[in-house]
Amino acid sequence: MEEQKRPLLGHHRRTHRVSSAFIIWTCLFVGLMVSGTFLLRPGRKFGVPADSRNVIKHLTNLEQIAASHGNGSRSITRGFNASFDYVEGFLKNFTDYTVSCRLLIFLTSSRRIRCGQNPPNADFMTGTGSGSGAVNNLPLVYVGGCNSVVDKTSQSSHFVALLTQTPPSITASRPNATNACDLSLCGRIAYAVANLGASAVLVSKQPSAEGYPQPLAPSGRLPKCNPDQASIVASVPVFMLSQAASWEFMVRAIDNNVVHKVSLSAHTRYESIVVKNLLAETKAGDSSKIVIYGSHLDSVRAGPGVNDDGSGAMATLELAHAFSRSGLARKTVQKVRFAWWTAEEIGLLGSIHHVQSLTDEAAAAYKLNVDTDMIASPNFVRGVWDGRSVEDDRIRDRCAAIQSVFEGYFARRGLPTVPFRFNGRSDFAPFMKWGIPAGGVITGEDEIKTLEEAELFGGIANMVLGESLFAALFNLVWLQRNNDFFFLADPNYHQPSDTVANLRGPGELILGQNVDALAHSLGFFAFHRDIDAFLEGR
C-alpha cells in the first residue's frame, strides 16, 4: 500500500508545484496587464527628471552675466544678448532639439525722468513715442475725454493733463462724445495737447481687480498711434503712472478747492534695437499638436531679474534639458516646443511678434501654452493661473483643464494652492487673445499678501509677494500710508536686489515645488493620447 501511495504522493506534490507556479505566473501576468493599462492610460505622467538645483545653478550664471555684460541688468539694451547666447549654447550642446531664433527690430528709448521732488523710480515711465521737455509748477487737470472743459487753466495757458489709460464710459448724457474725437489713448492724448493746450500728459492706470495699488508703472507701451497722433505725442513728455501714483494724482486733480501744481522733465532718445526670440522643439511628436512652454528671458534695466523672470526662464531650460536627457523627447506624442521670449518687460513684444506671425494653421496646432513667469517669490503664494475665471468662452474650459492638472498635482501632495486671475501682464496674453489656452504656476508679482494667505503659506501679510523677508525687515518698507492712499516699495521686484541671495529660503523652496509641478505637467501633456479630448472635457 505504501508503495502504491508514494507515486500518488509524488504526483500530488508535482501537481501542487505546477498549480503554485500557475497561480504565480497568472498573478504576474494579470499584474503586468493592469500596470500596462495604467502605463498606457490617457494622461499618464511620464516622469520628467527636472531638478531645481540645476535651475539655481543657471540662475547664478544669469546673475553673473548681468554683472559682466549688462551693468547689473539683462534688459534688451544690456545683458539680454549674453543671456540669449547662454541659453542657445546650452541647448545646442546638451540637447537634441531643433533650435531656432526669430529676429525683432523695434524702436526703444533711453530717457531721464524727473517728476516731482523724490518719487520712486518705479512710479513713472515714459510712454512709447514720448517727446522730451520740462514743465515747472503747472496746474494738474483731469481730462475726461472729448469736449472736456479746462476751467482750472484760465489762469495759465499751459497745464499738465491727467488721462485714464482706458477711455471714460460713454453715457446718454454725452451722446456725441464719439464723434468729437478718437477715444483711443493716442486720440485722447492728441486731443489734450492739440485742442486743449496741455504741455505734458500723465496717463493713470486703473485699479487692479483685487483692489490694491500695484506699485509699478505699466510698460510704457502706447497703442499704435496714427502718424498725426504720433507727431503730437512726440511734441510733449508723456508719462505712464503706477496705480499708486495714479490714485494720488487723481485725487488731487479732482480736488475743486485747490489747484495742484506739477513739475516734471523727460529726455528721450530713440534707437533701433535688434533682439531675438529663442525656440527649441522636439524632433518627435505630432506637429499638428504642439504643447509650448514659454518664459521671458529679458529683465528690467534696474536689476538682474533672477526671479523676474530668470526663475521661469531657467526652469524652462531645465525642463527642456531633462526632457531630452531622459530620452522622453524622442518618444513624445505631442510635439513640444520651448520658448524664451524677448522684450516682455517693455510690452510683451517677443510673444506678440510670435503669435502675430502665425498662420491660421500654425496657430491651430498650438494646443496649450504653459507660461512660466516669477515662480520663486520669497513671500510667495502657491498660485495656479485661474482658467475658470477666464472671460473668453472660446478657451475658458480648456484653461480650466490646464488649471486642474496643476491643482491636482499639488493636492495629491497636501500642498494648498490659490487661483491666480489672468491679468494680461505676461506672455500668456497674446496666446489667449488668439484663442490658445494657457496656464501654469505663479508665486506673485507686486500683489499684497493677505492675512489668509500668510496663514496658508507662511510669510508676512500686508507685504508684497515678491519681496524678500530679510530685505523688508532691513529696508523698513512694507506699506506707507500717505493721504489715505497706499504706496508700496519692493526692494526685489524690478530692483537690483532681485538676486539669487534673495531667493534662498522660502523662494528656493517654492521654486523646487513649482519645478516638480511643471515637470509633472510636461509629462502629462506631452504623452496624453488625446489632448484635444482632455482639454475639451470629453
Side-chain angles (χ1 to χ4, degrees):
M1 293 290 294
E2 292 178 358
E3 292 180 358
Q4 291 179 344
K5 290 180 180 179
R6 290 173 67 182
L8 291 175
L9 182 60
H11 175 73
H12 175 72
R13 286 175 177 172
R14 288 194 299 272
T15 303
H16 178 72
R17 286 195 296 268
V18 171
S19 300
S20 299
F22 176 78
I23 292 171
I24 292 170
W25 282 108
T26 300
C27 290
L28 287 173
F29 177 77
V30 172
L32 287 172
M33 290 295 293
V34 171
S35 63
T37 303
F38 171 78
L39 292 171
L40 296 175
R41 80 179 192 273
R44 177 198 172 262
K45 176 182 77 72
F46 282 71
V48 179
D51 190 335
S52 62
R53 292 173 295 183
N54 294 331
V55 179
I56 293 293
K57 293 177 184 177
H58 288 310
L59 289 174
T60 301
N61 292 335
L62 276 194
E63 189 173 340
Q64 293 172 350
I65 287 171
S68 302
H69 298 273
N71 193 26
S73 170
R74 295 185 302 100
S75 70
I76 58 169
T77 57
R78 295 185 177 181
F80 172 80
N81 287 335
S83 302
F84 181 98
D85 293 342
Y86 173 80
V87 176
E88 183 184 38
F90 188 91
L91 290 168
K92 288 182 176 180
N93 289 329
F94 299 106
T95 72
D96 57 356
Y97 297 125
T98 302
V99 180
S100 61
C101 66
R102 301 289 185 272
L103 294 177
L104 291 80
I105 303 175
F106 59 90
L107 289 176
T108 188
S109 65
S110 60
R111 59 251 182 180
R112 294 195 301 270
I113 302 172
R114 180 178 66 84
C115 187
Q117 294 181 346
N118 293 298
N121 290 334
D123 274 330
F124 303 91
M125 181 171 286
T126 50
T128 309
S130 167
S132 299
V135 300
N136 186 43
N137 208 33
L138 292 185
L140 176 67
V141 179
Y142 172 68
V143 177
C146 302
N147 299 330
S148 296
V149 178
V150 186
D151 295 327
K152 288 184 179 180
T153 62
S154 58
Q155 57 187 298
S156 172
S157 59
H158 301 285
F159 67 98
V160 175
L162 178 65
L163 282 64
T164 55
Q165 193 173 25
T166 56
S169 60
I170 299 173
T171 64
S173 62
R174 298 193 302 117
N176 297 321
T178 53
N179 297 325
C181 73
D182 178 0
L183 284 177
S184 69
L185 182 54
C186 288
R188 288 181 291 121
I189 292 174
Y191 180 83
V193 174
N195 293 63
L196 301 180
S199 298
V201 176
L202 302 177
V203 179
S204 67
K205 184 175 176 62
Q206 273 69 23
S208 63
E210 290 81 0
Y212 45 73
Q214 296 171 351
L216 297 173
S219 67
R221 301 295 299 182
L222 293 176
K224 188 174 182 180
C225 302
N226 66 43
D228 291 337
Q229 294 168 344
S231 65
I232 296 173
V233 170
S235 68
V236 298
V238 177
F239 286 81
M240 313 293 283
L241 304 178
S242 70
Q243 288 178 348
S246 296
W247 291 13
E248 176 73 2
F249 276 94
M250 186 62 71
V251 75
R252 296 180 187 277
I254 62 176
D255 182 358
N256 293 320
N257 298 318
V258 181
V259 176
H260 294 275
K261 302 295 184 68
V262 176
S263 297
L264 60 83
S265 67
H267 175 75
T268 58
R269 178 175 58 85
Y270 293 90
E271 58 184 335
S272 293
I273 298 293
V274 178
V275 290
K276 295 173 283 188
N277 287 329
L278 179 61
L279 303 174
E281 67 176 40
T282 58
K283 293 181 174 68
D286 187 345
S287 60
S288 68
K289 297 179 180 180
I290 300 175
V291 173
I292 183 168
Y293 280 68
S295 49
H296 71 88
L297 190 54
D298 63 316
S299 75
V300 294
R301 290 171 61 89
V306 166
N307 185 30
D308 183 16
D309 180 35
S311 63
M314 296 304 98
T316 302
L317 182 59
E318 170 60 10
L319 287 177
H321 187 205
F323 201 53
S324 175
R325 68 177 182 255
S326 65
L328 294 173
R330 296 189 293 273
K331 306 171 185 176
T332 181
V333 175
Q334 276 68 244
K335 185 174 286 294
V336 179
R337 182 173 292 163
F338 302 95
W340 291 266
W341 309 119
T342 186
E344 189 268 0
E345 294 291 1
I346 61 170
L348 316 181
L349 299 188
S351 55
I352 289 174
H353 178 271
H354 178 76
V355 170
Q356 289 181 344
S357 67
L358 296 174
T359 64
D360 290 343
E361 181 181 3
Y366 275 133
K367 297 305 173 183
L368 61 93
N369 168 38
V370 175
D371 183 72
T372 311
D373 193 352
M374 295 189 68
I375 63 169
S377 301
N379 195 32
F380 67 86
V381 296
R382 194 175 294 106
V384 177
W385 287 111
D386 187 7
R388 301 181 189 96
S389 67
V390 171
E391 294 182 0
D392 188 342
D393 57 10
R394 296 177 302 164
I395 59 173
R396 183 187 305 112
D397 291 343
R398 287 181 285 166
C399 289
I402 299 169
Q403 178 183 0
S404 70
V405 172
F406 289 98
E407 288 180 335
Y409 172 84
F410 286 122
R412 288 190 294 274
R413 285 151 184 79
L415 299 173
T417 59
V418 293
F420 213 95
R421 291 181 66 89
F422 284 101
N423 53 20
R425 296 173 60 185
S426 193
D427 291 302
F428 53 75
F431 286 86
M432 294 176 72
K433 186 175 181 180
W434 194 270
I436 299 167
V441 293
I442 182 171
T443 53
E445 300 162 320
D446 53 0
E447 300 82 6
I448 297 297
K449 193 168 203 173
T450 66
L451 288 170
E452 294 79 8
E453 289 168 344
E455 291 177 357
L456 198 58
F457 304 111
I460 299 177
N462 295 330
M463 192 177 80
V464 179
L465 293 173
E467 190 166 34
S468 161
L469 307 185
F470 302 104
L473 292 174
F474 287 102
N475 282 278
L476 303 179
V477 183
W478 291 358
L479 282 171
Q480 177 184 358
R481 191 172 179 85
N482 183 5
N483 296 329
D484 294 329
F485 288 84
F486 286 101
F487 291 83
L488 312 178
D490 178 4
N492 292 340
Y493 183 49
H494 285 191
Q495 298 298 325
S497 54
D498 187 4
T499 62
V500 172
N502 278 327
L503 291 190
R504 299 298 183 184
E508 196 169 6
L509 171 67
I510 191 63
L511 174 66
Q513 294 174 357
N514 281 334
V515 168
D516 290 344
L518 289 164
H520 162 77
S521 74
L522 175 57
F524 185 97
F525 295 133
F527 286 94
H528 202 294
R529 289 188 301 168
D530 193 341
I531 192 68
D532 289 310
F534 168 75
L535 292 171
E536 294 167 9
R538 292 188 274 116

